[in-house]
């Protein structure tokens, strides 16, 4: 008996300001003007994508005391942008990263419930914590919570938000004009939550939204992060976009679902993916080479080098060999606000690996940085890219991909115009939206209202995330 053909899930990440974006390209536009968001969202909706995703940045990153050159255009507020996009789209899901460290459950729950109402049931929340005191300096709680307490707060934060979403069943409003009765329950939305992090009680003032609560995304890759996703998330953003690594991650996370009484299709695995298209595979490869050189200028290469070396290397020649001096293993870091610096556990060991690679391939500093930060997941003609995406999904390396173009806002246009039709011809991607809500698009069952604090019909308890709301982006 042959297995059924899987349907591919596609989403689009507005790239914002990072080293995927080529802001210097003549085709690049603003990352903050509303017209850019509108163009990007409407293209994604024209392609019948599941959702648009916005990352979050609560402080501009710095290096050697200066604002990082890839952050200078700023980071607009996520809720403001998504609410505005709800008015210019009809079906596209609207997903945003919102931090649990520097916000309050009532405020975030109210904003997401409102967004779900305004969009007709298209809201999603990527739950993250903040790891550095540098970002926290913008907030009252800056540097206050040690790491383990931030994760405990995150677990409690999501549990509390879930309680608020569930405080309205959905049947309280009668609005009977003949009898004059407006509410069946005189005290809808009542809640009380007291623990080490939150001591709140009152009335949640947004009635139950179309989805009941936003779709929950998670982006952690640790063992705890995977467990969190299995316990209560609806989708997990994966870093594993290749066949072997993707299959291993997919199998590991899916097998964890059973212990929480969940089926395999109740959690989607969606790696981020970049792409470069050409009329032929050879042309796409040439374009990809030029894109990588645009993404990693000499200046950018030095900045990446400094993040590992932990030294001021502004005088280093990017077209020369790696520095002879070893990295500084000290506690301070020249790069502030960048999550990537946490990956350098043993700086000297990593530097030696880089040196060995550079020597083996005769690479300059810039050429090495281009190679080790390679970001193009799919390179080729539309037919080649369509086949590669389908092959990975059918092989259970993922359930789909979140596409990150390198040009804003028009970088998604070519994919929608050329690759999407080929996937539709194969019968593995929708030609029209079949539902209204984001849960519909993702193939997730509707949530049945809870009764007096019990879990909802998703199979995930409102207490949901166990030891790992370590959703760190």
């Amino acid at each position: 008996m042959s297995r059924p053909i899987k349907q591919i899930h596609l989403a689009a990440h507005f790239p914002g300001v990072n080293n995927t974006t080529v802001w210097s390209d003549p085709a690049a536009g603003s990352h903050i003007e509303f017209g850019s968001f509108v163009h990007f969202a409407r293209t994604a909706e024209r392609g019948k994508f599941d959702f648009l995703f916005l990352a979050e940045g609560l402080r501009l990153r710095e290096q050697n005391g200066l604002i990082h050159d890839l952050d200078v255009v700023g980071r607009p507020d996520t809720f403001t942008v998504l609410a505005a996009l709800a008015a210019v789209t009809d079906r596209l899901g609207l997903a945003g990263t919102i931090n649990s460290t520097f916000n309050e459950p009532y405020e975030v729950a109210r904003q997401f419930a409102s967004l779900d109402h305004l969009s007709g049931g298209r809201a999603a929340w990527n739950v993250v914590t903040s790891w550095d005191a540098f970002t926290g300096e913008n907030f009252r709680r800056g540097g206050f919570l040690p790491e383990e307490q931030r994760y405990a707060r995150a677990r409690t934060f999501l549990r509390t938000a879930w309680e608020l979403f569930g405080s309205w069943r959905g049947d309280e409003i009668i609005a009977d004009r003949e009898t004059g009765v407006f509410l069946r329950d005189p005290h809808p939305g009542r809640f009380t939550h007291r623990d080490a992090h939150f001591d709140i009680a009152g009335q949640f003032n947004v009635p139950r939204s179309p989805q009941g609560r936003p779709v929950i995304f998670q982006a952690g890759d640790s063992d705890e992060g995977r467990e969190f996703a299995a316990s209560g998330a609806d989708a997990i953003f994966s870093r594993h976009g290749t066949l072997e690594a993707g299959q291993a991650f997919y199998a590991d996370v899916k097998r964890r679902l059973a212990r929480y009484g969940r089926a395999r299709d109740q959690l989607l695995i969606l790696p981020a993916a970049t792409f470069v298209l050409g009329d032929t595979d050879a042309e796409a490869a040439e374009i990809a080479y030029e894109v990588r050189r645009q993404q990693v200028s000499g200046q950018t290469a030095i900045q990446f080098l400094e993040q590992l070396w932990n030294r001021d290397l502004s005088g280093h020649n990017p077209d020369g060999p790696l520095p002879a001096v070893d990295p500084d293993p000290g506690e301070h870091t020249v790069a502030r606000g960048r999550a990537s610096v946490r990956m350098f556990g043993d700086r000297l060991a990593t530097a030696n690996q880089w040196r060995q690679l550079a020597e083996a391939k005769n690479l300059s500093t810039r050429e090495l940085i281009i190679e080790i930060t390679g970001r193009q997941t799919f390179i080729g003609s539309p037919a080649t890219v369509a086949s590669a995406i389908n092959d990975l999904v059918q092989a259970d390396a993922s359930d789909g991909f979140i596409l990150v173009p390198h040009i804003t806002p028009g970088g998604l246009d070519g994919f929608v115009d050329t690759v999407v039709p080929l996937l539709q011809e194969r019968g593995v991607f929708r030609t029209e939206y079949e539902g209204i809500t984001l849960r519909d698009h993702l193939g997730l069952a509707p949530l049945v209202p809870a009764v007096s604090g019990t879990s909802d019909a998703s199979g995930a308890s409102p207490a949901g995330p166990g030891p790992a709301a370590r959703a760190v982006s």
Side-chain angles (χ1 to χ4, degrees):
M1 184 181 200
S2 61
R3 59 178 284 176
I5 297 175
K6 291 172 63 178
Q7 290 296 298
I8 295 171
H9 292 279
L10 292 177
H13 175 201
F14 187 89
V17 277
N18 51 50
N19 59 311
T20 298
T21 304
V22 180
W23 58 264
S24 58
D25 192 287
S30 172
H31 294 77
I32 197 169
E33 292 178 0
F34 185 52
S36 291
F37 291 102
V38 172
H39 181 122
F40 194 81
R42 285 177 170 168
T43 300
E45 187 165 71
R46 178 164 58 85
K48 313 303 178 187
F49 281 28
D50 290 356
F51 61 89
L52 172 149
F53 172 65
L54 292 183
E56 177 72 292
L58 297 179
R59 180 165 180 174
L60 296 180
R61 296 169 291 190
E62 293 181 9
Q63 196 148 326
N64 291 316
L66 301 175
I67 293 176
H68 197 281
D69 70 329
L70 298 178
D71 257 8
V72 294
V73 296
R75 300 270 183 124
D77 176 71
T78 297
F79 277 119
T80 305
V81 174
L82 294 181
L85 290 178
V88 297
T89 56
D90 296 313
R91 291 291 184 268
L92 184 69
L94 303 169
T97 300
I98 296 297
N99 193 292
S100 64
T101 304
F102 303 121
N103 289 294
E104 296 296 325
Y106 185 91
E107 178 184 34
V108 170
R110 186 167 180 260
Q111 289 170 311
F112 267 117
S114 299
L115 178 62
D116 206 47
H117 275 292
L118 291 174
S119 64
R122 296 184 280 139
W125 176 14
N126 180 35
V127 186
V128 301
T129 68
S130 182
W131 66 278
D132 65 329
F134 171 73
T135 299
E137 290 174 0
N138 279 347
F139 298 88
R140 174 179 58 84
R141 202 173 288 106
F144 173 70
L145 292 177
E147 182 176 13
E148 65 276 7
Q149 289 188 33
R150 288 198 298 273
Y151 297 141
R153 176 186 167 87
R155 291 194 298 271
T156 305
F157 191 106
L158 186 56
R159 181 185 304 121
T160 306
W162 234 311
E163 292 171 5
L164 294 169
F165 291 131
S167 64
W168 284 76
R169 299 183 308 274
D171 63 352
E172 292 89 346
I173 300 176
I174 300 174
D176 189 324
R177 291 182 174 84
E178 293 184 3
T179 63
V181 177
F182 186 76
L183 291 174
R184 173 180 284 112
D185 182 348
H187 304 292
R190 281 287 181 89
F191 67 88
T192 300
H193 184 104
R194 293 186 172 91
D195 59 36
H197 292 279
F198 307 110
D199 184 356
I200 58 176
Q203 185 180 49
F204 191 56
N205 65 353
V206 183
R208 185 176 178 87
S209 69
Q211 292 186 120
R213 60 165 171 79
V215 170
I216 301 297
F217 293 156
Q218 191 267 346
D221 189 44
S222 65
D223 185 72
E224 294 92 343
R226 298 180 187 201
E227 203 65 26
F228 163 72
S231 68
D234 299 306
I236 182 169
F237 298 158
S238 165
R239 296 188 294 108
H240 307 286
T242 60
L243 179 61
E244 184 175 346
Q247 286 178 323
F249 181 84
Y250 191 97
D252 178 63
V253 174
K254 294 281 187 175
R255 71 171 174 77
R256 299 171 187 249
L257 292 166
R259 75 184 65 172
Y260 300 100
R262 306 181 70 195
R264 287 170 59 87
D265 62 357
Q266 288 182 286
L267 175 68
L268 299 179
I269 297 175
L270 304 172
T274 59
F275 60 91
V276 176
L277 299 171
D279 291 337
T280 65
D281 290 353
E283 181 185 50
E286 292 177 1
I287 296 172
Y289 174 79
E290 293 302 324
V291 169
R292 289 299 296 134
R293 292 186 66 82
Q294 287 179 301
Q295 289 171 326
V296 184
S297 65
Q299 176 189 3
T300 300
I302 295 302
Q303 290 177 328
F304 273 98
L305 192 68
E306 288 179 337
Q307 290 166 25
L308 173 60
W309 253 255
N310 206 23
R311 297 177 182 275
D312 181 355
L313 298 173
S314 56
H316 183 73
N317 179 11
D319 295 318
L322 289 172
V325 64
D326 287 336
D328 180 354
E331 290 294 326
H332 77 284
T333 173
V334 300
R336 309 187 72 194
R338 294 193 64 88
S340 59
V341 300
R342 291 173 297 161
M343 296 186 295
F344 301 137
D346 187 335
R347 293 178 182 272
L348 181 57
T350 302
N352 287 334
Q353 292 173 0
W354 286 16
R355 284 167 171 155
Q356 292 170 11
L357 178 60
E359 183 178 355
K361 295 191 174 185
N362 193 27
L363 301 175
S364 69
T365 294
R366 182 185 180 195
E367 290 168 338
L368 175 72
I369 298 299
I370 287 174
E371 175 146 339
I372 64 176
T373 61
R375 284 177 171 264
Q376 286 113 358
T377 311
F378 301 112
I379 300 173
S381 68
T384 295
V385 171
S387 294
I389 290 174
N390 187 51
D391 289 346
L392 288 170
V393 172
Q394 303 307 329
D396 284 346
S398 76
D399 291 310
F401 291 92
I402 302 173
L403 299 173
V404 190
H406 61 272
I407 296 294
T408 303
L412 196 63
D413 296 14
F415 187 97
V416 167
D417 292 336
T418 62
V419 179
V420 167
L422 296 177
L423 294 174
Q424 292 170 331
E425 288 177 8
R426 290 171 178 258
V428 295
F429 189 69
R430 67 172 69 91
T431 57
E432 295 293 340
Y433 288 111
E434 297 179 2
I436 296 175
T437 70
L438 179 54
R439 294 190 68 86
D440 292 336
H441 305 341
L442 297 175
L444 302 172
L447 298 179
V448 178
V451 178
S452 301
T454 62
S455 59
D456 62 33
S458 68
S461 166
R470 185 185 294 247
V472 182
S473 62

